[in-house]
Structure formats: C-alpha cells, structure tokens
Amino acid sequence: MSGRQKTLINLQNLTHGVDRLFIENPRFTTTLISVNFYMPLTKRGLAAYSLLTSLMAASCKKYPDFSSLNLRQKELYSIDLNAMADKTGDIQMVKFYTSYLNDGILEESIEKECNDLLLELIFNPLVENGEFLSSEIVREKRLILEKIKSLYNEKRSYSVSKLVEKMFENTPYATLGYGESSDLEGLSGKELYDAYIYMLKNAYIRIQVIAKEYNGGFDKAFTKAIAPFREEKNYIPPKSKAKISSGVLEFSEKSQINQAKLCLGFTAEEVIDSMAVNVFADIFGGGPYSYLFSNVREKLSLCYYCAARLQKKKGLIIVDSGVEKENIEKAKNQILIEKDKIANGEISDELIETSKKTLLESLKSRSDNDLSLDGWYAARVDDDIKSIEKIEKEIAAVTKEDVINVAKKFKLDTVFTLMPEEN
Amino acid sequence: MKTVIKDNLLNKEYTIYTHSSGLKVYMFKMPGFSTYKATFGTNYGSIDNEYIYNGQKITVPAGIAHFLEHKMFECSDGDAFMKFAKTGAYSNAYTSFDKTCYIFSCSNNFYENLKILLEFVSEPYFTKETVDKEQGIIGQEITMYDDMPSWRVFHNLLVALYKNHPINIDIPGTKDTIAQITPELLYSLYNTFYTPSNMFLTLTGDFDEDKVIEIVNSIIEKEEKPKGKAIFKEEELKANKPRITQIMQVAKPLYALGFKLPQAPTLKEVLSMELLLKVILGDASPLYKRLLEKELIDDSFEGDMMYGRGYTTVVIEGSGFDPDTVKDEIFAEIENIKQNGIDEKLFLGIKKDAIGSTYRDFNSPGSVNNMLLELALKNEEPFTILKTYKEITTKDLMQSLELLKQENSALSIVKSEE
C-alpha cells in the first residue's frame, strides 16, 4: 500500500505545568489546536466546569454576544471553536479548541485570527468585577439543566448513567459529565470566576496541535498569556482508581417503555494498563464476532442489542442491552456465562487474532481524523505518550493467556434494569 | 467505460467506471490516507413498496427492504460480518427511504474486503429458518424504535405531511407486516432491485483503480438486466394533517415542523434552501437569538432538507415547552424576510461557512464517500457543490422562501401527559 504516513509526535515543555504535543500529519488541510486543562475530579467541579465552558464558548470580551461570535466563526470558513468539560477517569478535563482550514486552501489567510480567537476565549472571558455575567449564566444554566432532564428521553443512555451513578455512589465519578442539577443551580458568577482562576493556576495543561506543519506561534502567545498564573510547583495530573467491589447490587426502575434496558457493571478492582483489556472487552461485547452479539443476540435471540463498553481508566466494563421483559433473567445469566467462557479459556486463537486486527484497524483509522486523534491523546494524559505505531505493536503482542487473565479479574458489581410499567 | 471528473479549484479528481451491466463505480483516490471506505448500494429503499416489473404491478409488505438488508449478511458459506472481521474491517449496512447500502471501512486488506463486499451482496441466501429468526430480531428493533421519542416525532411528522407517499411508513415496518415476509418474496425482490444496473459502488482511499476494475469485472455479471420501477400515487403539496401529537414519557416535549416542497429540486435549489434555513433559524440568526433568550428553544434547534423519489421535505426540529409559539415565530420570521429582505452580512457569513465546510468534507474518506453516493443517485457530482455555493445569491434564497407555505406544513409533537 502506498502513501502510509507514520504519525510523528513531539512533546515539549513550554513553562511550569504546560506541555505542548505536536502531532504531524501531512495529509490534513486543517490545523487543530486544543488546550486541555486537567485537575482532580470533584462533584461540584463537574458542575462548575460544565457551566464555565458553556459560558466561555458562547461569548468573550471581543464578541460579547453569542450570535456575533457564531457569525464570526462562519465568516472564518466554518472554523470549529468550542469549549467542553468532562471526566476522564478520576480527572476533570476542560478543553478549548479550534480547527481551521490551512493557509493556501482559501484566498485569504485566517490562521492568525483563529489562533487569536482561541486565546481570546481562554484569557478574555466576559467577566465584570470578578464575576461572570448573570444574564449569561441564566441562559447557559437553563440549557444544561434541560439537557440533564432530557437524558431521560433516550432510555439506553439514561440506563447506563443510572448504573454508573449507583455503582460509584459517593464518589465524584458517579456524577454525569454535566454535573449534578442541584450543584448547577447553586453556582454564582463569583464561584465560576474562582473556578476559572483555580484552573489557570493549578491545572496541568497540555496543548495539542495536529497539523501538516507547525511554526510554534501559538506556543509563544499562550506561554505569555498564562505566565501570570503559573509558578514552580507540582502539576502532575492525578491517577484514576478502580472500584473495589463489596458484592453484587441489583436495582431497578419502572418507565413507560415497551423494551426493557438491562445494564451490568463489572469491575477489575484495579486499573490495568495493557491492551489485553481492550482485546477482552472487544471479544466479550465489541464486534459482530463477540460473544454477546453472536451468542446472546444472534444464536439465542435474547436481546436486540447487547454490547460491552470499556472505561479503561476505571477498570470498568459496562454491558448494556435492550431486552424483552420476559427475557431479562435469561439474558442476565447468559451474559455472565459468556464472560465466564472467556475467563475459562474457551476462546479460539482465531478469535483473538480477529479482535486484534479489528482494534488495529480502528486505531489506524484515527490517524485520518484530527478530532479523533486529539481526543485519543487528550484522554490519555496520565499515560506515556506513545505513537499510534507503538500502540499497534502492543496490541499485536497480546496473547490468549493475557486475555484470560484479564477476564478473570473482572467481576460483576452492579445490575440495573429499566422495566416496562405494568399496563 | 471510464470518465474522469476533475476540479482545478480543489485540485482533485475522481473516475466513474461504467460496467457492462450498467453498474456505476465511483473511484475517488485519496493519496496518503490510511482509511478506505466502500459503499455498495442499491437504488431501493423503504418507499419502494409498489412497483412495476416485467409488466406486472406488485405490492410488498412494509419493512421488507430493511428485512432484506438484514438477511443479506447471511451467506451460504457463513456470515459476511465474520468474513470482514477476519480481515479487521468494520462493516455495516443501512436502509433509508430510497436506498440500501452495504459498507466497509478498513486500513488494510482493501482488495480482499472489496471482493467480500461484492460477493456477499451479489449472492442472496434466504431460508425459512433464518427468515423466522430475523422476524424476532427485527421485532425487537421495532420495539426499540417505538420507545424512542426522537424517532417518533420525526416519523409522525412524515405521517402528518404525506397522505399517499410511502415515506409515511416506518422503515422497519411493523411486527404484523414483517410477519408476511417469506424467502420467496425476498428472492423476488432481490432479483428486481439488486440488479447491477440499479446499483452503485463508491470507493474512497489510496487504491489502484485498475485493480478495482479487475475485481469488479471478475465478480459482477456482465449482462445488463431489467430492474423494477417504483410507482407512487399522486401526492398534492398540501399537508395531509396540520398536526399530530403523541403522548410519551419525556422530560421535555420534542417537536418537528415540516414543509412539503415541489419534487426533484436541482442542486442549486437544494443548497439555496440549506443556506436559507440557516439565515432564518441558524445559530447566528436573529430568530435563534430571540427564541433562545425567551427560553423557547435549546441548542438542539435546527433545520434541514431531505429529498428523494417523490418527496422533498424541509424538517425543523427542536425541544421546548411551547412548540406552537415556536411555529408561529418561524412563520413570522418568514414573513419578515419576505418584507424586508435578507441581511447581507449574515448571508455572506453563512455562505463562507458552507464553503469552508465543503473544503473540510474533501479531507475525509468517509465524508467524500457519503457525498459521492448521495449525489450519484441524483445524477449530480460533488465538485459542483463548491461552485454552486459561490454562485448562490440572496435572490435564490428569496425564491426558496416562497416554497415555505403554511398550508404545505405540519407540526408533530411528542410530550408527556398534562
């Protein structure tokens, strides 16, 4: 195959607690710059940063009205300019990013203005007297609170969030990425400003640049702007922890639905830094060759969908399925049987190779998408920086024994069922 | 026969190869990219329930196109999903109103995967046992969609708009309609619509065109065969019903406002309408700002256009506690623009946004593949998009505005009981 490009990566420290990762990709006609802030996860922090990023993405001192900022983005040939907050394991992540067409594609040059806009968003928020404006807060708060309520509309994702909430009760990880409604409602303009300054002063910051080439222009401007907030101290991002199980908890809720939702949470009780976990999760409930799809759905027709999702940083696997009410118990038992099959070594070498090939393919395809590459690296802030090619080698090295050992570690911890109401 | 289409502005080109069977193969080379994407599709979807074939008029049960798509993956020598999985490729399929597509994407073993794709779609295999089992699986899929408020509000809108056109039938059908499906019926439909002259193959990635043609020639039968032609009852522009409301347990009501437009729009008319919708209600528009500040909409509010055989529809969707006021405000804004014209600065910004977005689309094998197949069915080609956006003026948008008539519109709402 011709033209396959290796990903070239370069990590450089810019100032106290600020690193910049450049990922070169000669194929792209766009430049993506993301500025990622990492802090320990707290329940109130999730609400604060969720609201803060909504506010900061909507307006800034230069464009104090969201319509005018939206229009300016369009005038810059559809630049992506946004901010978001979420949890990645036990880390609070706040991201500001922009993606724009390179010079040479258009008749005009937009690089400087796009970079300046990103800096404007981060360093010149719409603040007066040390507080974010209440009119802006009222609007953005409503949008987030309604989003939280609307999660209930999509029963599949609602069920998964209920499982996580219970499984990680009394820890920040139990909370949705948007934050808890009661915390959101209580946030003031002053508290939000304090959270903003805390972030600038204390977060570990990683800038990621994904482009054909990079002249370091954004590095200099960012370093200058962040300088007043930084000092020499430890900014190392915190490590995430897995849940230690204290037995299986089962709970349910009723809803006006026809098809029940069954969710199972498994914990490995440790964070396993090995691609064998990815292979296990994939064989268990990933592709169409997986045990859950081919046995629980196809052979036994117990579910319409039945898939496993891996949250590696929490040593967590969630199985979620759509199932007829009369099949709930059968489906639950069969899911456990399928997991035990893998733990008992009932896997063919062929299946392991199939899974590894699929994961390799999925990884390679990321290198063709700048947002996907950015997300991949941003979520791995507490791992060593590795090129895609190095990770490919790690996948290739996974053995059947590795997968069996990983499967044995995962134990059932929590079961949630969303049941149809009796008519 | 090979035709090369070039664009000097984008500095790109692609090739259309027309096979002796009538199959059109669209090959868009993307040098240096790791990803390949292939779509092998047929010009046959959920709306093609009544058709003429060999001089006979035939009617088939609703949901059969989607059912057929599910069954295609079972081959006489095993499951097609597993064949792709062994090479590491991702595979999938979907049925929409007017087409059914079988897809793979990969970064290795492209030619092997291409053979798998062409072979499994060219070799139907249906038995009573597999058809019976699929009825159970699709039955559960139908139940899942019945529980989805976002799907219900959209489907109900189409029922409200269209009296006769089968776009008003749910793509997977119902449990009763799919119970009528037999292997014989599936074979008959396959032979009618899965003939290469009714199909298309779109490929994006860094491949060798001659190798692709060699593979196509070795698998696709050479002879051009007749295909079915769907027939549709006449459908007037007036909406079937002004509104449909469905009660479901939702946190906040969902709504969809739709308009029926004249059929078979040109590419310029389609793109003009897309720009017009952004001018009227996009996130840089005065209406969006007003509705957001009045707490009548949230950031899910948007409008789009879809079109195909016998239907052209504008759909505006959102979520909020007062859908009727939102509807009234949209109509008021339409009148306002008719009276006062279009804001030039807003229009130019939206145009630049569309141009920039199109440039970005050409950066991705997935986006290019989607563009090719959407436009191939309508005999348009993707390079014209950029040129057309640049030519569109506010005069074109004002013409599009005349098509958004109240009598041709309907409102669909999903909400909880009072």
Side-chain angles (χ1 to χ4, degrees), chain A residues 1-5 27-30 65-67 70-71 73-80 99-101 105-108 138-139 142-143 146-147 149-150 152-155 254-261 288-289 293 297-299 301-305 322-324 327 350-351 354 357-358 360-362 364-365 367-368 370 421, chain B residues 31-36 70 74 79 81-82 85-89 91 105-111 133-134 137-141 143-144 146-150 175 206 248-252 254 283-285 288-289 291-293 295-299 319 321 345-346 349-350 352-357 359-360 363-365 390 417:
Chain A
M1 306 274 176
S2 66
R4 188 66 46 76
Q5 303 281 353
R27 291 193 290 287
F28 288 159
T29 55
T30 50
D65 173 80
F66 70 81
S67 282
N70 286 342
L71 182 57
Q73 289 176 63
K74 291 175 193 335
E75 289 168 343
L76 290 168
Y77 292 93
S78 190
I79 86 164
D80 242 332
S99 165
Y100 51 86
L101 286 166
I105 307 287
L106 304 165
E107 283 154 7
E108 46 191 290
V138 163
R139 184 189 66 233
R142 170 185 77 91
L143 291 175
E146 286 184 3
K147 270 191 185 89
K149 285 193 191 134
S150 294
Y152 187 70
N153 292 353
E154 299 305 325
K155 302 294 190 279
K254 289 205 168 139
S255 181
Q256 282 175 20
I257 46 174
N258 297 296
Q259 185 186 75
K261 308 295 182 203
Y289 44 80
F293 186 91
R297 176 186 137 134
E298 288 292 295
K299 284 199 183 117
S301 300
L302 288 173
C303 309
Y304 171 62
Y305 64 86
V323 54
E324 303 287 295
N327 287 333
E350 196 190 355
L351 187 57
T354 297
K357 262 193 196 147
T358 305
L360 282 165
E361 289 280 312
S362 165
K364 278 197 181 97
S365 68
S367 62
D368 279 348
D370 54 0
E421 275 175 359
Chain B
F33 278 84
S34 299
T35 312
Y36 302 84
H70 269 238
E74 279 187 63
D79 189 293
F81 275 126
M82 289 306 302
K86 282 178 183 160
T87 70
S91 63
S105 66
C106 64
S107 36
N108 281 311
N109 306 310
F110 169 69
Y111 302 109
K133 183 168 77 82
E134 200 66 45
I137 291 174
I138 294 183
Q140 292 186 67
E141 184 178 356
T143 308
M144 186 186 79
D146 284 345
D147 284 340
M148 282 173 69
S150 50
K175 287 180 186 175
D206 193 1
M248 283 180 83
Q249 205 173 34
V250 290
K252 192 166 75 159
L254 284 78
D283 64 7
S285 70
Y288 185 97
K289 187 176 176 194
L291 294 180
L292 196 70
E293 284 170 352
E295 301 190 3
L296 289 169
I297 61 171
D298 61 27
D299 49 15
S319 177
F321 292 98
K345 185 168 153 69
L346 178 61
I350 283 167
K352 280 185 171 180
D353 182 58
I355 289 166
S357 197
Y359 273 118
R360 282 167 175 275
N363 208 31
S364 150
K390 291 184 179 188
E417 260 163 332

Side-chain angles (χ1 to χ4, degrees), chain A residues 211-268:
Chain A
K212 201 167 169 175
E213 54 196 11
Y214 180 57
N215 58 17
F218 189 82
D219 290 358
K220 290 187 196 119
F222 187 88
T223 305
K224 190 173 170 198
I226 199 77
F229 302 98
R230 307 303 271 187
E231 57 183 10
E232 198 170 330
K233 67 181 188 189
N234 180 16
Y235 288 97
I236 295 173
K239 290 273 183 202
S240 301
K241 290 189 184 136
K243 181 183 175 183
I244 307 295
S245 184
S246 52
V248 181
L249 173 68
E250 298 199 34
F251 70 112
S252 64
E253 199 177 287
K254 289 205 168 139
S255 181
Q256 282 175 20
I257 46 174
N258 297 296
Q259 185 186 75
K261 308 295 182 203
L262 171 67
C263 296
L264 284 75
F266 295 83
T267 178

Side-chain angles (χ1 to χ4, degrees), chain B residues 142-190:
Chain B
I142 290 170
T143 308
M144 186 186 79
Y145 280 112
D146 284 345
D147 284 340
M148 282 173 69
S150 50
W151 182 256
R152 302 294 357 131
V153 78
F154 174 66
H155 170 69
N156 290 348
L157 175 69
L158 299 176
V159 170
L161 285 172
Y162 290 91
K163 183 175 179 186
N164 296 320
H165 193 284
I167 200 176
N168 64 11
I169 300 172
D170 231 336
I171 293 173
T174 67
K175 287 180 186 175
D176 290 335
T177 61
I178 64 171
Q180 301 164 42
I181 295 171
T182 62
E184 293 72 32
L185 204 43
L186 291 174
Y187 276 117
S188 163
L189 267 168
Y190 179 89

Side-chain angles (χ1 to χ4, degrees), chain A residues 72-319:
Chain A
R72 190 61 198 141
Q73 289 176 63
K74 291 175 193 335
E75 289 168 343
L76 290 168
Y77 292 93
S78 190
I79 86 164
D80 242 332
L81 181 70
N82 216 337
M84 49 169 276
D86 206 349
K87 55 188 181 186
T88 171
D90 292 326
I91 299 175
Q92 170 76 59
M93 187 172 93
V94 173
K95 179 193 281 287
F96 296 83
Y97 69 93
T98 184
S99 165
Y100 51 86
L101 286 166
N102 292 339
D103 287 351
I105 307 287
L106 304 165
E107 283 154 7
E108 46 191 290
S109 168
I110 59 173
E111 179 185 333
K112 186 171 184 317
E113 187 174 351
C114 294
N115 287 353
D116 287 348
L117 249 184
L118 181 61
L119 289 165
E120 180 72 22
L121 233 58
I122 298 170
F123 292 106
N124 286 318
L126 202 54
V127 163
E128 267 175 25
N129 302 320
E131 294 187 19
F132 280 86
L133 301 190
S134 58
S135 54
E136 298 282 295
I137 292 172
V138 163
R139 184 189 66 233
E140 297 302 324
K141 227 184 234 186
R142 170 185 77 91
L143 291 175
I144 300 173
L145 287 169
E146 286 184 3
K147 270 191 185 89
I148 293 171
K149 285 193 191 134
S150 294
L151 280 174
Y152 187 70
N153 292 353
E154 299 305 325
K155 302 294 190 279
R156 183 173 182 177
S157 45
Y158 170 76
S159 301
V160 171
S161 72
K162 290 299 290 184
L163 177 90
V164 171
E165 188 185 58
K166 188 57 110 177
M167 192 169 167
F168 293 90
E169 207 169 22
N170 300 320
T171 75
Y173 192 76
T175 312
L176 286 174
Y178 292 127
E180 186 87 33
S181 297
S182 53
D183 287 328
L184 275 159
E185 273 154 6
L187 283 166
S188 66
K190 170 89 179 56
E191 195 175 347
L192 285 165
Y193 185 73
D194 290 343
Y196 166 66
I197 296 297
Y198 178 87
M199 180 181 80
L200 293 179
K201 283 184 169 176
N202 296 290
Y204 166 68
I205 302 172
R206 190 202 283 165
I207 299 169
Q208 299 188 165
V209 180
I210 301 172
K212 201 167 169 175
E213 54 196 11
Y214 180 57
N215 58 17
F218 189 82
D219 290 358
K220 290 187 196 119
F222 187 88
T223 305
K224 190 173 170 198
I226 199 77
F229 302 98
R230 307 303 271 187
E231 57 183 10
E232 198 170 330
K233 67 181 188 189
N234 180 16
Y235 288 97
I236 295 173
K239 290 273 183 202
S240 301
K241 290 189 184 136
K243 181 183 175 183
I244 307 295
S245 184
S246 52
V248 181
L249 173 68
E250 298 199 34
F251 70 112
S252 64
E253 199 177 287
K254 289 205 168 139
S255 181
Q256 282 175 20
I257 46 174
N258 297 296
Q259 185 186 75
K261 308 295 182 203
L262 171 67
C263 296
L264 284 75
F266 295 83
T267 178
E269 298 192 308
E270 60 176 294
V271 178
I272 308 169
D273 183 19
S274 157
M275 293 311 291
V277 182
N278 301 70
V279 176
F280 163 61
D282 185 57
I283 289 174
F284 184 29
Y289 44 80
S290 71
Y291 281 47
L292 294 183
F293 186 91
S294 54
N295 297 331
V296 181
R297 176 186 137 134
E298 288 292 295
K299 284 199 183 117
L300 298 169
S301 300
L302 288 173
C303 309
Y304 171 62
Y305 64 86
C306 189
R309 312 164 187 225
L310 172 65
Q311 302 291 336
K312 200 166 174 182
K313 290 191 181 303
K314 292 296 288 178
L316 168 67
I317 286 178
I318 297 173
V319 171

Side-chain angles (χ1 to χ4, degrees), chain A residues 6 294 348 402:
Chain A
K6 279 196 170 183
S294 54
S348 65
D402 295 332

